[in-house]
Amino acid sequence: MAVDTPLYIDGNIYRDGDIFSLCLNKFETFQVGHTTDLTGTLVNSSAPIAVFSGDECTRLLSRGACDHLVEQVPPFLNLDNVFIVPSHAEDRTTVVRVMAGKDTNLTYTVNSITTNLTLTTGSSREVSIYSNQICLIQSEGPILVTSVSVASTTTTNGDPYMTIVPGIHQFIDYYKVPIPYNYKTNYVSITINSSAVSDILTNGTSVSQSNKVYESTITSASGNFTVLTLKVIPGELTIQTTNHIPFGLLIYGHGEFVGYGFSGNTLLQDDE
């Protein structure tokens, strides 16, 4: 937490670095909030739990309405170290936040420009990318990467929405996802090994050129990857590869002063 911004829980004062402990019974929940950023908070438990984090009222770069953003946070042991983050369609800024699970050195690359930095445990850094850009992040240690779409400067379609991005080692080869109704535009962003682009099937058929919004290739230490953004229609959508090559999937859409975004799925690594 920011300096001199105490957190009050049950009449007690807690500051940055303090520890708060509690006991939860089965199916009980506990929520804590603060006016300052709680990024980097560490949650430990003696039994499996689900942790959600977000913001009650978000207006990024002074644009868009005051939106409620929330995501389920993956466990520390399941964090990856290589991420490919695509930008969002329709001329909008994407804010990429990287948080370190432990002290680590990392690089991020945008437009062939690579930046090196060191993050301490729980600390974070943000970088902005724009339409038709890709951010490649490669770290020595585990990191959490979040992508937040900012409201457009040229249209009233879409407000801020947040997505936790899966790493390239968390991809799977088959997704079945709902594309919601009542939005003006809906998109999927696929990140896949470049050799397998032609093997992608959407609802059992090959990708139509008319549905492509964006396609670009980026080189990482793990090989060449292609980012492919498709415009899709509402309803059930299955995406798979004929040769079972895993790929990443992000889904998002825009309506009048509203937007949504989520990942298709994330393969959690075996922590044993």
Side-chain angles (χ1 to χ4, degrees):
M1 297 183 295
V3 177
D4 297 327
T5 54
L7 174 66
Y8 297 92
I9 304 177
D10 295 335
N12 297 313
I13 297 177
Y14 297 88
R15 299 184 184 276
D16 192 41
D18 287 346
I19 297 175
F20 170 75
S21 300
L22 76 158
C23 181
L24 291 178
N25 294 317
K26 189 175 182 179
F27 298 128
E28 270 193 315
T29 61
F30 176 80
Q31 179 172 299
V32 61
H34 202 280
T35 56
T36 191
D37 193 344
L38 296 178
T39 296
T41 300
L42 175 64
V43 181
N44 284 311
S45 66
S46 58
I49 57 173
V51 176
F52 296 81
S53 180
D55 193 350
E56 182 181 22
C57 176
T58 302
R59 290 188 77 243
L60 291 173
L61 306 182
S62 300
R63 299 204 298 268
C66 184
D67 284 77
H68 176 210
L69 309 181
V70 63
E71 273 276 42
Q72 184 171 349
V73 182
F76 168 78
L77 292 175
N78 297 131
L79 297 182
D80 207 345
N81 67 330
V82 180
F83 295 80
I84 298 173
V85 188
S87 55
H88 294 90
E90 298 183 6
D91 185 34
R92 58 191 67 237
T93 302
T94 299
V95 176
V96 182
R97 174 175 285 193
V98 182
M99 193 210 73
K102 61 180 181 180
D103 294 357
T104 187
N105 297 312
L106 63 87
T107 64
Y108 65 83
T109 303
V110 180
N111 278 358
S112 300
I113 299 175
T114 298
T115 301
N116 300 280
L117 63 130
T118 299
L119 292 179
T120 57
T121 302
S123 65
S124 62
R125 179 72 62 88
E126 290 182 353
V127 57
S128 293
I129 58 176
Y130 307 98
S131 292
N132 299 334
Q133 289 186 334
I134 303 171
C135 181
L136 168 65
I137 306 167
Q138 301 179 101
S139 172
E140 294 177 355
I143 54 176
L144 179 68
V145 176
T146 306
S147 168
V148 183
S149 173
V150 181
S152 173
T153 59
T154 59
T155 175
T156 57
N157 287 343
D159 260 353
Y161 51 89
M162 175 175 68
T163 307
I164 290 181
V165 182
I168 67 169
H169 304 106
Q170 298 173 310
F171 293 170
I172 58 177
D173 64 3
Y174 175 87
Y175 300 83
K176 180 182 286 187
V177 295
I179 305 300
Y181 290 86
N182 301 321
Y183 288 86
K184 292 183 178 181
T185 52
N186 299 280
Y187 302 93
V188 296
S189 183
I190 299 169
T191 300
I192 189 169
N193 190 288
S194 297
S195 64
V197 172
S198 60
D199 298 314
I200 300 171
L201 299 178
T202 60
N203 286 341
T205 62
S206 299
V207 173
S208 170
Q209 290 293 327
S210 62
N211 294 335
K212 287 185 181 181
V213 175
Y214 172 75
E215 183 174 0
S216 184
T217 299
I218 191 167
T219 300
S220 75
S222 301
N224 294 328
F225 285 84
T226 295
V227 173
L228 180 65
T229 300
L230 307 176
K231 197 170 186 178
V232 294
I233 61 174
E236 181 181 281
L237 176 66
T238 60
I239 303 183
Q240 63 193 101
T241 51
T242 56
N243 54 2
H244 302 292
I245 296 296
F247 58 96
L249 182 67
L250 300 177
I251 303 98
Y252 61 94
H254 308 135
E256 187 76 9
F257 296 110
V258 66
Y260 75 89
F262 59 96
S263 62
N265 198 356
T266 296
L267 175 66
L268 298 181
Q269 305 296 323
D270 187 355
D271 57 12
E272 297 182 354

